[in-house]
Amino acid sequence: MESKVFVQYNHTDPCAIARWSTKESFQFMSARPWQQVIDFYSDVVKGQKPLSALLGTTCLSKSKIYNRIESVNSQNRGGRWARLTFKIVVSYHGGSFDGWQKQPDLYTVQSVVEQSLGEFVDEKKAQMLKDKGLPLEGAATVAGRTDKGVTALHQVCSFYTWRKDVKSQDIADALNSVAPGKLRTVSVTEVSCVFHPNFSAKWRRYLYIFPFNDEEDREQSKKTGENAQKFKIKDTHHEQEVVYDECNNTNVEDVIITDDVELETEKKPWMFSVSRVNKLLQKLEGKLLSYKMFARDTKASRNEGPPTECFVFHARAREYRLPCSEHEKGSRVMCIELVANRFLRRMIRVLVATSIREAAAGADEDALLKLMDATCRRATAPPAPPDGLCLVDVGYEEFDSQDCLITKEHID
């Protein structure tokens, strides 16, 4: 039986020998107590716990929920201005749905939202749907689609109707009844028809909760050691041992990971510093960069140029204690906050996994910036599990650097 060949990116920097392979990164990220995070997000969505129970801050300001574009009134106007447009903010638990986007035979957020909006469509559209043999559903436009397993606390979508008797509270009640405990209405407000949840947005804020597995991590640390790390490189002819010490250049210049060379995992560094992750991420702040190496499953037309460019306003990491019944003081987690004008598909999850991998390998603080110039997406780590990711809110005014979940003062 032939052994499986894993194609790895040929990193040539001094930390190449310490860096986890794709398989190792996936295994490390998967072997976490994710259920604690899933349960916490579920409690927040249900309104049983505030996000501040973890972060200890006032997480959302009123200015991000109500904004200037909503102040336009549609009364006494004709044409398309006569229709009623509603901005709907919902909270939903990622583990309860197969993502946002409607798909055949899958239980998605969009499908349940549009089903509940069906009772508010106007007669003309209702008749059109009936003639085509389609179900009576409203059409919801969203600020950004989330993958299966990703939670949202303030996801923004819009819906319009030509009926004049529809009230915001009616929509809120309909949405609250469609999936109790899984989806909750945060707010419904009438807005101008020029409002678009996606194109009108100035920024998006995401939070990633990474749970530590303290007992296993400590055991792994004992095996690995704090100073010198030993690595084995095998091929079909011989076995040699390379001694690694804090990513120096001494023993790694001639080490090349190719298709027929497999790096052993048992002596790689499996501990990382949260402060190192924070420093890696901070290098992304205030820059317009192409994140094509950190994207996955994007169309070929979006793999080059401006479609891959994102401006990151804020990127920080800090250690917190996650409230849970198993630990009186809470379980140890790392929280990562990312705010940008836009994000590519799976970009956040790849950034999280890659920053952890680079921190463990002892890479330089500009490691993420250097990876932007890589020639293959295998240079970055596979996406972190979706269970830790949460869309916190979407902003329609200029980003305020003082309105963050993790500030410089918190870290210092």
Side-chain angles (χ1 to χ4, degrees):
M1 182 177 178
E2 294 184 3
S3 60
K4 186 175 181 180
V5 175
F6 293 93
V7 180
Q8 306 295 340
Y9 185 80
N10 182 24
H11 293 278
T12 57
D13 63 297
C15 294
I17 197 168
R19 189 173 283 111
W20 305 332
S21 67
T22 297
K23 181 179 179 181
E24 292 160 356
S25 292
F26 176 80
Q27 292 174 336
F28 179 82
M29 298 299 293
S30 299
R32 305 286 109 193
W34 290 109
Q35 192 59 48
Q36 297 175 4
V37 179
I38 294 171
D39 292 342
F40 175 74
Y41 279 146
S42 179
D43 289 341
V44 176
V45 169
K46 293 175 183 176
Q48 296 176 355
K49 287 180 182 177
L51 192 58
S52 58
L54 168 64
L55 302 173
T57 59
T58 302
C59 300
L60 296 173
S61 66
K62 291 286 185 180
S63 64
K64 301 303 178 291
I65 299 177
Y66 303 102
N67 50 72
R68 285 188 238 103
I69 201 166
E70 297 181 48
S71 64
V72 182
N73 198 312
S74 62
Q75 292 182 353
N76 301 321
R77 289 176 178 260
R80 74 185 183 103
W81 294 92
R83 73 191 188 192
L84 298 182
T85 302
F86 295 91
K87 175 188 174 186
I88 303 170
V89 183
V90 294
S91 176
Y92 54 84
H93 182 232
S96 301
F97 296 95
D98 294 307
W100 168 270
Q101 187 175 11
K102 184 193 299 184
Q103 301 180 64
D105 302 321
L106 291 180
Y107 187 63
T108 68
V109 183
Q110 184 181 11
S111 64
V112 299
V113 167
E114 293 189 342
Q115 286 170 13
S116 65
L117 294 175
E119 63 179 282
F120 305 109
V121 301
D122 52 86
E123 293 182 4
K124 184 177 180 180
K125 182 171 183 178
Q127 186 61 49
M128 180 190 70
L129 293 172
K130 182 179 179 180
D131 294 341
K132 293 183 177 181
L134 299 174
L136 184 61
E137 296 178 344
T141 305
V142 72
R145 295 175 294 183
T146 52
D147 291 333
K148 179 180 179 179
V150 178
T151 294
L153 300 185
H154 287 78
Q155 173 69 282
V156 180
C157 59
S158 68
F159 162 75
Y160 75 84
T161 179
W162 295 96
R163 285 175 49 182
K164 296 296 185 180
D165 60 336
V166 178
K167 306 297 181 184
S168 296
Q169 189 58 49
D170 297 335
I171 296 176
D173 292 342
L175 289 171
N176 282 330
S177 64
V178 71
K182 301 175 183 178
L183 183 144
R184 179 172 58 89
T185 306
V186 177
S187 67
V188 180
T189 52
E190 184 181 345
V191 297
S192 164
C193 69
V194 302
F195 174 75
H196 193 287
N198 187 4
F199 302 142
S200 299
K202 298 287 184 69
W203 51 263
R204 286 94 171 154
R205 185 201 314 273
Y206 280 86
L207 176 71
Y208 195 95
I209 302 177
F210 175 85
F212 289 100
N213 199 341
D214 288 335
E215 292 184 6
E216 291 187 12
D217 290 342
R218 279 194 292 268
E219 186 65 26
Q220 190 67 53
S221 178
K222 291 178 183 178
K223 294 179 182 178
T224 305
E226 296 181 358
N227 299 317
Q229 314 291 342
K230 294 183 179 180
F231 302 91
K232 292 182 179 180
I233 300 176
K234 292 183 179 180
D235 61 25
T236 56
H237 302 292
H238 67 280
E239 177 179 306
Q240 80 181 88
E241 183 173 271
V242 182
V243 178
Y244 165 77
D245 186 9
E246 296 184 357
C247 293
N248 59 50
N249 291 307
T250 307
N251 299 309
V252 297
E253 292 177 348
D254 300 322
V255 175
I256 300 176
I257 305 173
T258 59
D259 297 3
D260 58 349
V261 180
E262 181 181 352
L263 190 62
E264 292 293 325
T265 66
E266 58 188 32
K267 294 300 181 180
K268 284 189 178 181
W270 292 100
M271 302 290 287
F272 68 89
S273 165
V274 175
S275 62
R276 170 63 64 171
V277 173
N278 181 63
K279 290 177 180 178
L280 285 162
L281 292 171
Q282 273 191 267
K283 292 292 183 179
L284 306 178
E285 291 184 348
K287 300 180 179 71
L288 180 66
L289 300 169
S290 172
Y291 285 85
K292 63 181 179 181
M293 289 298 117
F294 294 88
R296 297 293 186 271
D297 302 332
T298 54
K299 296 180 180 179
S301 60
R302 300 193 57 168
N303 286 343
E304 299 291 341
T308 70
E309 293 177 349
C310 306
F311 186 91
V312 174
F313 295 101
H314 185 79
R316 299 295 168 93
R318 184 195 174 197
E319 184 176 317
Y320 289 90
R321 289 283 175 174
L322 182 73
C324 64
S325 57
E326 290 83 1
H327 302 277
E328 182 179 350
K329 295 182 179 180
S331 59
R332 198 164 63 95
V333 299
M334 175 178 67
C335 291
I336 293 177
E337 180 188 10
L338 291 169
V339 184
N341 64 332
R342 60 198 288 265
F343 291 98
L344 306 181
R345 183 168 172 78
R346 299 187 181 178
M347 169 181 155
I348 299 174
R349 291 162 56 194
V350 175
L351 268 175
V352 169
T354 304
S355 62
I356 291 175
R357 184 195 71 179
E358 295 302 301
D364 294 335
E365 293 179 10
D366 61 350
L368 297 180
L369 294 176
K370 291 178 179 178
L371 285 171
M372 304 278 182
D373 298 324
T375 58
C376 174
R377 285 176 175 169
R378 288 193 181 96
T380 53
D387 310 277
L389 187 59
C390 173
L391 171 61
V392 178
D393 59 340
V394 182
Y396 296 91
E397 294 181 346
E398 297 301 325
F399 176 70
D400 182 359
S401 60
Q402 300 301 313
D403 190 14
C404 299
L405 304 180
I406 305 175
T407 64
K408 185 177 184 298
E409 290 71 24
H410 288 149
I411 297 170
D412 294 343

